[in-house]
Amino acid sequence: QVQLVESGGGLVQAGGSLRLSCEASRSIFSIYALRWFRQAPGKQRELVTSIFSNGYTNYADSVKGRFTISRDRGKNAVYLEMNSVKLEDTAVYYCNAQEEQYRPSSQSWGQGTQVTVSS
């Protein structure tokens, strides 16, 4: 199981930008999917974005056009670029790795990083 550590969270003004990082303990080259989830107070954890081993990405409608997921296989890292942030983006953000396509149990989670958007 790969270990994941998020960083980059903090306080940001509405309309501003923030970049979250997730560093993996080993190569991410063969990982099926890397994902960012978030969990806002009183709400369930939700999928924000995914990037697959072939480079394909998808985004939740709520962040489409504002957030970008990317990876750097040389640095064993995945990133979430958050632009034009809104108050409703406030949440704890978690990175996730699913190592094998047909084994959802092959997932690792980071500890989470808090993002707070202020007006």
Side-chain angles (χ1 to χ4, degrees):
Q1 187 173 332
V2 64
Q3 281 71 56
L4 305 171
V5 179
E6 301 99 332
S7 62
L11 181 65
V12 59
Q13 280 192 314
S17 298
L18 200 65
R19 191 193 197 204
L20 307 183
S21 299
C22 178
E23 296 183 350
S25 61
R26 62 164 177 82
S27 175
I28 63 169
F29 189 86
S30 297
I31 290 178
Y32 167 65
L34 296 160
R35 300 183 173 103
W36 286 96
F37 289 78
R38 68 185 181 186
Q39 188 166 25
K43 296 184 178 180
Q44 293 190 45
R45 187 175 301 184
E46 65 175 344
L47 176 63
V48 177
T49 179
S50 302
I51 184 166
F52 296 88
S53 58
N54 63 0
Y56 188 84
T57 59
N58 57 35
Y59 297 88
D61 287 342
S62 59
V63 307
K64 197 169 296 181
R66 300 188 298 117
F67 290 10
T68 303
I69 188 171
S70 62
R71 67 190 175 200
D72 186 334
R73 285 167 159 172
K75 295 181 178 179
N76 296 337
V78 59
Y79 306 100
L80 182 65
E81 184 72 37
M82 306 169 62
N83 298 314
S84 302
V85 298
K86 304 175 180 179
L87 291 176
E88 50 263 46
D89 294 324
T90 294
V92 178
Y93 284 73
Y94 300 89
C95 63
N96 166 279
Q98 182 175 332
E99 297 192 54
E100 300 178 26
Q101 180 177 6
Y102 299 108
R103 288 187 60 225
S105 61
S106 65
Q107 293 188 63
S108 298
W109 293 86
Q111 83 289 346
T113 185
Q114 175 72 47
V115 173
T116 302
V117 181
S118 64
S119 61

